[in-house]
Amino acid sequence: MLQAQHTGLQCAHCGEPCPGENISYAGAHFCCAGCRSVYQLINQQGLCDYYALNQQPGATQQVPVRKDKFAFLDDDRIVQKLISFKNEQQTRVVFYLPHIHCSSCLYLLEHLHRLQPGISSARVNFTRKEIEIDYDHRQITLRTVAELLTQIGYEPYISLADLDQAKPRYQQQYIRQLGVAGFCFANIMLLSFPEYLGLEVTEQHLQGIFRMLNLVLALPVFLYSAQPFYTSAWKSLRHRFLNIDAPIVLAIFITFGRSLYEVLTGRGGGYFDSMTGIVFFMLAGKVLQDKTYRQLSFERDYTSWFPIAVTVVKEDKELAVALPAVKPGDTLRIHSDELIPADGILSRGSAMIDYSFVTGESMIVPKEMGEIVYAGGRQKGGSIEVLVTREVAQSYLTRLWNQDALRQKKNKEQDSFVHTVSRYFTIVLLSLAAITAVYWWINDPTKIASAVTAMLIVACPCALLLSGAFTNGNILRILGRNHFYLRDAQAIEDIAKANHIVFDKTGTLTVVQQMDIAWEGERLTEKQMQMIAAVAAQTSHPLTRALKQWLPNDPELQVDAFKEIPGEGVAGMVGNTCIQLGSAFYTNTANTTRNGATRVFVNWNYQSKGYFVFTSHYRKDVPQLLAHLRRRYDISLVSGDNNREAANLHSMLGPEATLLFNQKPEDKLHHVEQLQQAGRRVMMIGDGLNDAGALRQSNAGIALTEDTNNFTPASDAILEAAQLPKLGKFITLCKANRYIIMTSFFMSVLYNVIGLYFAVQGTLSPLIAAILMPASSLSILLVTFGSSNLVAKKLKL
């Protein structure tokens, strides 16, 4: 592929190639004045260790941000909804910074106070890409803080969702409950050793003291730490469904009740160690699984995609207005690369709108004055003005999002094989307990209570829950390490059970920002290609911009008499040559090219020279991935794009694959519903709002994104786009999950059989219970972690 010429130097700040003009400072070279300004600022404050920690740490720098972009932060009503704390002197705010990527970022951001004295402290959460800043609002404003972050290359992402709701926070209550359970469990085990090993006759008076201390330590675990299991069990019973937490709660109640009875009557020390140990290990599993959810938001709606404020034009003045305050009749000024937040009529300028995130159509849609534009599109040309015709809440995009299929909650808990096994296990256990009770009622009624309660204590399905929790937690950790984030453990099972995969095309299999270009026609010399590039550089149309990047460039060439007809083509004089670029109609060329391809025709002095063919750029290794998956799954492709690449897709997906084009969001949803009605378990992979309904309806919805912290539709999983080729390996690991859980569960059953041998006889001692419980738990830990890590290692994950 031909590339533009450059000096061979790399920018000291961001690593991009430096252009022909010499932009330098203190012996360092830069690609643009913006990078040089950032370097100067950092250098002047003595923070150049920023560059020592990593090479080109400013690699995520974006295009320059317009000066008044954060003017809306001068509105106190908006500021009050964004800040998290304020007193007489200080204000605290948390910003999401998507460009954080390395240790240099941490260094610079946590030294913001040296760049701006009004900032007292800055703390970075690298995992969440968030920064918590304390600043003196008597010296600086929130707008100043946001503009400083933008100036050094870390523009904060502020969306409409920030006005209405906070990002989901990690459930700190689990940590507190786990800490209480761990403290009590460890101390109860310590105080129980005299009970296990026996006391001398002269020390018997200490036995009662130790037992009462154990009771006191068990109370916080029983009343506080076990609350998540009580809540889950109660909810399931209210819905007439027996989940795994219900029999576990029964076992906790019985263990505590029997232990309390034994201590108060002086008959024994009870099983407080077993009860607190069960709660501690099960909470540890919950915390492990909850680790993924605290990093990402899986419940996202259109407000996370919309800006928090827009520019309203009134009496030739620009005003920053909060988006909810925009009403029909307002005129919005939409700058380049900004989102259109409401339906309206284009009243000034020529629009080049990218609707790919909403409709799936990859090509830019040109609009002229007087035409209707819809919310959700992103303006790719210069500034335009839009007369609002519908409120934001009534726009096309909002109505699309508010479909019933998007609002309904999926309750898939009953599909889990863990809960199914638990139900049967509980039925068998209760049956054995009933048989034991009848046996002792006939032979020795005094042993009924001890035998039955001992059985329920020893053989509760906590082993199944522990094996599930730790296996799921470790697999979630492994997948997260590979940038595949699952909403919860149930998503592992849903992915493993899928037998039909539905792909979106635009933005999922292809990269929207890139296109493959080929030339068909008379052979072009390098000079001719440079002349075409010079004409293409005069316009902001996405096709000609892509063409300019693809062709070799000569900055010395001058273009005269340039003319552009929006939606048709461009023309210009380079020397004595008239070059026309555009559609077949514009260049008066017979359209005899292959079906559906996007083309830019070239006329050279009004004579046809040939045309450039533009095709979608497929992600790396996508053909190999599809070849692997089609051997194991039925595959569908549903795209909002046209069918110009149907032949290419059939070659990758196979002739038996279902290809559907020009699909509206509701069409994609209906296709998933039809597959489910035919008995298929569907995994849907998409990236845009046009996929939101299908993602929510599918058994396992996977949202693909270039940045896992940026906006994605609500889904069961979020996959970083670069990791898509590993999808087959991820599915294999999810399938291994069931076998690992069942192996560890049946291993724990062996311990239960030993315990039941003593329990049915009514002779289970606290010592045996104390040995069996940790032995079972430790074996589960070893099997689950060892097996899942072994599978991941074989898959090279």
Side-chain angles (χ1 to χ4, degrees), residues 7 24 111 154 172 253 261 353 391 409 564 716 744:
T7 63
S24 60
H111 286 81
Y154 300 95
Q172 294 292 337
F253 273 48
Y261 169 77
I353 305 177
E391 294 181 1
K409 297 284 186 180
E564 178 176 7
D716 298 303
S744 59

Side-chain angles (χ1 to χ4, degrees), residues 357-421:
F357 193 77
V358 179
T359 65
E361 171 59 56
S362 60
M363 299 309 299
I364 301 297
V365 179
K367 294 285 184 179
E368 293 301 315
M369 288 176 55
E371 292 191 79
I372 296 175
V373 294
Y374 294 100
R378 192 173 291 279
Q379 165 65 356
K380 290 296 184 181
S383 296
I384 59 174
E385 292 184 8
V386 175
L387 178 66
V388 177
T389 57
R390 283 198 183 101
E391 294 181 1
V392 174
Q394 299 299 321
S395 68
Y396 167 75
L397 182 61
T398 309
R399 288 184 282 114
L400 167 64
W401 188 267
N402 288 334
Q403 295 179 86
D404 291 338
L406 295 177
R407 288 180 291 167
Q408 66 186 7
K409 297 284 186 180
K410 289 193 286 188
N411 181 16
K412 302 183 289 186
E413 186 181 56
Q414 299 187 29
D415 294 337
S416 173
F417 82 94
V418 172
H419 294 295
T420 302
V421 172

Side-chain angles (χ1 to χ4, degrees), residues 644-675:
R644 59 178 173 265
E645 296 187 33
N648 188 25
L649 288 165
H650 261 306
S651 67
M652 289 190 290
L653 294 169
E656 67 283 355
T658 302
L659 304 185
L660 302 174
F661 299 97
N662 300 309
Q663 296 290 289
K664 296 179 180 179
E666 53 269 27
D667 298 329
K668 296 184 178 186
L669 170 62
H670 294 156
H671 180 66
V672 172
E673 289 177 332
Q674 290 171 359
L675 290 172

Side-chain angles (χ1 to χ4, degrees), residues 731-751:
I731 296 173
T732 301
L733 182 61
C734 290
K735 286 185 174 182
N737 171 72
R738 177 192 291 260
Y739 301 107
I740 295 171
I741 291 176
M742 294 309 297
T743 299
S744 59
F745 173 60
F746 285 121
M747 182 175 292
S748 68
V749 167
L750 296 177
Y751 293 97

Side-chain angles (χ1 to χ4, degrees), residues 103-119:
S103 55
S104 289
C105 304
L106 292 174
Y107 170 80
L108 180 60
L109 291 169
E110 293 192 344
H111 286 81
L112 283 179
H113 60 280
R114 293 174 61 179
L115 299 177
Q116 174 53 256
I119 294 176

Side-chain angles (χ1 to χ4, degrees), residues 514-763:
Q514 299 181 36
M515 302 194 78
D516 291 332
I517 304 175
W519 167 255
E520 295 190 8
E522 297 180 18
R523 183 178 178 85
L524 297 174
T525 65
E526 182 171 356
K527 185 64 175 179
Q528 289 174 327
M529 287 188 285
Q530 291 172 346
M531 294 168 69
I532 294 172
V535 175
Q538 306 304 308
T539 175
S540 61
H541 192 285
L543 291 180
T544 52
R545 282 193 299 178
L547 195 57
K548 185 248 182 185
Q549 293 296 324
W550 186 74
L551 291 169
N553 182 36
D554 182 358
E556 302 298 326
L557 290 176
Q558 298 294 321
V559 179
D560 301 316
F562 177 78
K563 183 179 181 180
E564 178 176 7
I565 301 179
E568 292 295 334
V570 298
M573 295 292 297
V574 182
N576 296 322
T577 304
C578 176
I579 299 175
Q580 295 173 295
L581 308 175
S583 65
F585 175 79
Y586 175 74
T587 57
N588 196 26
T589 305
N591 190 352
T592 58
T593 56
R594 60 178 181 248
N595 179 42
T598 300
R599 299 162 301 278
V600 171
F601 292 84
V602 178
N603 276 2
W604 203 267
N605 287 329
Y606 307 103
Q607 298 296 318
S608 176
K609 199 81 170 175
Y611 52 86
F612 293 97
V613 181
F614 293 75
T615 55
S616 298
H617 180 79
Y618 288 86
R619 297 188 185 278
K620 182 182 178 182
D621 297 328
V622 158
Q624 295 90 323
L625 170 68
L626 297 178
H628 169 77
L629 294 177
R630 68 191 247 195
R631 294 194 293 267
R632 295 167 173 79
Y633 298 91
D634 294 329
I635 295 180
S636 297
L637 182 135
V638 288
S639 174
D641 213 340
N642 58 45
N643 64 348
R644 59 178 173 265
E645 296 187 33
N648 188 25
L649 288 165
H650 261 306
S651 67
M652 289 190 290
L653 294 169
E656 67 283 355
T658 302
L659 304 185
L660 302 174
F661 299 97
N662 300 309
Q663 296 290 289
K664 296 179 180 179
E666 53 269 27
D667 298 329
K668 296 184 178 186
L669 170 62
H670 294 156
H671 180 66
V672 172
E673 289 177 332
Q674 290 171 359
L675 290 172
Q676 291 173 327
Q677 291 168 4
R680 313 300 290 171
R681 298 189 66 87
V682 181
M683 181 194 307
M684 168 71 189
I685 304 171
D687 73 308
L689 282 178
N690 57 317
D691 304 314
L695 287 170
R696 178 61 67 92
Q697 178 63 36
S698 61
N699 301 91
I702 301 175
L704 199 73
T705 178
E706 300 294 341
D707 187 325
T708 50
N709 284 282
N710 280 351
F711 176 80
T712 57
S715 57
D716 298 303
I718 297 174
L719 174 61
E720 189 174 282
Q723 304 301 313
L724 180 62
K726 295 182 181 179
L727 180 62
K729 295 181 179 180
F730 295 149
I731 296 173
T732 301
L733 182 61
C734 290
K735 286 185 174 182
N737 171 72
R738 177 192 291 260
Y739 301 107
I740 295 171
I741 291 176
M742 294 309 297
T743 299
S744 59
F745 173 60
F746 285 121
M747 182 175 292
S748 68
V749 167
L750 296 177
Y751 293 97
N752 287 343
V753 169
I754 298 172
L756 287 173
Y757 172 77
F758 295 98
V760 296
Q761 300 178 68
T763 59

